[in-house]
Amino acid sequence: MRDALSPLRRCVALLDRGLWTLGGLWLGICNLCLLGMLMLTAATFLLRPFDVSVWWFWPWTMVLFIWLSFFGFFAIQVRLKDVRIDFLVKRLGRTGDLISRLLADAVALGVCLILLQQSATVLAAAAGYVEGVILPGGEELPRQALFIPLFLSCSLVALTALVDIAKLCVGLPENRAPIHPEVAP
């Protein structure tokens, strides 16, 4: 019986590793957004003594902040950097661990499905352009572009929750957050 599940276990583990890797890519995108924000802000300060003001720096900084937050939604969740109460769950034993795992996955899945369900409404309401966010061709950034990272992250968080439930069903352990150096083993 265990051998019959082996290919399924491998497939689920492969999906889990793929999501972990994609989380690293999303983390890299977050870092690029942060770097862009810092560079634009630094340029603003450095250009002040020369009476140079670039008006589109501020709107782009805000867009990068929004994208950072939305890309970070998936990166934080899949890379296990979210708020966790492992110390409490460990005290509840194996049953408490399983219940908390299912509950966390169900909540993540539910929230993401609600957000995805609202995506058409949000995108329809986000008409027009983001004022001052000039693209290389001279046009402004469409307002819908602000929300694409959110809906991508929601899809990936929902998929991560489903993969974790599948891992539970095939007997694979839950991913564990790396131990912080401040915490004694």
Side-chain angles (χ1 to χ4, degrees):
M1 180 85 169
R2 196 75 166 161
D3 293 330
L5 292 178
S6 186
L8 181 59
R9 288 170 61 108
R10 280 196 301 270
C11 179
V12 170
L14 183 65
L15 278 171
D16 187 51
R17 280 193 303 276
L19 288 167
W20 181 272
T21 302
L22 192 56
L25 175 64
W26 253 232
L27 196 57
I29 292 170
C30 290
N31 286 328
L32 288 175
C33 288
L34 180 60
L35 179 63
M37 290 168 54
L38 293 173
M39 287 174 41
L40 291 171
T41 302
T44 299
F45 288 125
L46 293 173
L47 293 173
R48 273 189 190 162
F50 303 105
D51 280 336
V52 175
S53 177
V54 182
W55 62 272
W56 52 266
F57 279 10
W58 174 251
W60 263 111
T61 301
M62 292 299 97
V63 167
L64 290 173
F65 178 75
I66 291 167
W67 284 348
L68 167 76
S69 302
F70 289 165
F71 279 116
F73 179 45
F74 170 64
I76 286 171
Q77 195 270 346
V78 76
R79 286 298 182 108
L80 307 171
K81 301 298 182 190
D82 53 342
V83 176
R84 298 179 60 92
I85 53 170
D86 290 340
F87 71 94
L88 178 62
V89 172
K90 287 178 185 177
R91 295 193 193 299
L92 298 176
R94 174 119 173 96
T95 304
D97 188 39
L98 294 175
I99 290 170
S100 71
R101 183 176 179 183
L102 283 171
L103 183 62
D105 288 334
V107 169
L109 190 57
V111 167
C112 288
L113 289 178
I114 289 169
L115 287 170
L116 289 170
Q117 180 188 19
Q118 296 300 314
S119 64
T121 304
V122 169
L123 291 173
Y129 299 91
V130 182
E131 186 178 332
V133 180
I134 307 300
L135 296 171
E139 64 276 357
E140 290 180 316
L141 182 74
R143 197 168 298 281
Q144 290 90 351
L146 293 174
F147 300 100
I148 301 302
L150 173 64
F151 299 131
L152 286 172
S153 284
C154 283
S155 300
L156 291 170
V157 168
L159 181 59
T160 301
L162 290 172
V163 167
D164 190 56
I165 292 169
K167 285 173 57 179
L168 180 66
C169 292
V170 298
L172 291 173
E174 181 179 21
N175 292 338
R176 297 289 179 188
I179 301 295
H180 294 284
E182 300 86 21
V183 179

